[in-house]
Amino acid sequence: MYHQAIATLALAEALAMTRDARLDGPVRRAAAFIERAQQRGGGWDYGDSPTGRNDLSVTGWQLMALKSAHAAGIEVHWPVLFAALRRLALMTQSTGHMTYADRGTHAGRRGPGMAAVGFLCTQLLGWPRESDLLIRQAELLLKELPNWEILSARDDPAHHLHTLYYWYHGTLALFQFGGQAWDTWNTRLRDTLVFRQCREGAERGSWDPPPSGFDSVG
């Protein structure tokens, strides 16, 4: 379902920008597949078969894809969105943290990456910017700004979920949120990425992974 969502996201964004009629049918079918794959609990899991497991990481990608499909003029059915809203509410803690999954491996786990995914999803689903939930989630992210040293600290249990995945979703979420929160995050992220970009050889213009830590596996 990761692949399904990201491919749908790419096609839907292309359709929204170009209005190329050749993309309309594929995007409709792709969005419909995502809707059919929704678990009864309102989230999504790694596959499209009913498992009863709701995974926030996978769910975040599906909602991004459906949002882009909607922007491209594809109808997203309200029962799907209502069920997703309910699932997010069930996974949200009073602090603004979000739990990773409701069953299976790492059920109940939380971390900055999940807070960022939940923060983005609540905005995509229409939460008002001034809501207490969004403000709490923005504050959580600003307490853990992008930091290369933390990213590379593989053996530090306090920060092992501070990842590039977190940076990606945190950037999308805070860009949507805007204001001073976005300025603070963007300044740190921009300067870190520019400083770390490869400047020589065949890798010039790209980025090396951190030397250790969660992202080094990729």
Side-chain angles (χ1 to χ4, degrees):
M1 292 305 295
Y2 270 94
H3 309 144
Q4 171 70 19
I6 295 171
T8 303
L9 174 65
L11 287 174
E13 288 290 321
L15 176 60
M17 289 189 291
T18 66
R19 298 300 172 184
D20 186 336
R22 294 173 297 178
L23 297 174
D24 186 85
V27 174
R28 288 182 186 277
R29 293 195 297 274
F33 182 91
I34 290 173
E35 291 192 342
R36 290 195 302 271
Q38 188 177 33
Q39 299 293 320
R40 290 185 63 183
W44 281 265
D45 202 0
Y46 281 92
D48 62 311
S49 300
T51 64
R53 181 176 182 272
N54 297 275
D55 184 300
L56 179 58
S57 179
V58 180
T59 296
W61 288 106
Q62 311 314 312
L63 290 175
M64 288 170 61
L66 292 177
K67 182 69 173 180
S68 291
H70 174 74
I74 307 300
E75 180 183 7
V76 179
H77 296 92
W78 71 263
V80 173
L81 300 179
F82 185 83
L85 281 167
R86 182 174 181 274
R87 172 48 47 190
L88 287 174
L90 291 171
M91 301 179 94
T92 304
Q93 301 178 345
S94 60
T95 59
H97 284 99
M98 308 282 287
T99 54
Y100 164 65
D102 59 350
R103 65 175 66 182
T105 305
H106 302 305
R109 186 182 71 185
R110 69 181 203 180
M114 292 303 97
V117 173
F119 183 26
L120 174 63
C121 288
T122 51
Q123 293 181 88
L124 295 181
L125 290 169
W127 247 253
R129 186 184 185 278
E130 63 274 10
S131 70
D132 290 341
L133 173 60
L134 292 191
I135 292 171
R136 286 197 301 272
Q137 290 177 327
E139 290 172 346
L140 286 175
L141 270 60
L142 293 179
K143 289 178 181 177
E144 191 158 346
L145 294 171
N147 184 302
W148 189 265
E149 285 67 37
I150 292 177
L151 197 73
S152 304
R154 182 171 195 162
D155 298 323
D156 184 349
H159 297 295
H160 77 285
L161 294 177
H162 183 113
T163 61
L164 290 171
Y165 177 98
Y166 166 58
W167 291 14
Y168 175 81
H169 286 89
T171 300
L172 290 174
L174 283 166
F175 177 78
Q176 295 295 326
F177 191 71
Q180 184 58 50
W182 163 245
D183 291 340
T184 299
W185 176 277
N186 185 47
T187 297
R188 172 68 71 85
L189 179 75
R190 177 200 64 206
D191 292 353
T192 299
L193 291 179
V194 170
F195 179 75
R196 292 287 173 179
Q197 190 176 31
C198 298
R199 292 174 172 78
E200 298 178 353
E203 292 78 25
R204 182 180 179 184
S206 66
W207 282 264
D208 287 330
S212 61
F214 193 89
D215 294 294
S216 66
V217 177

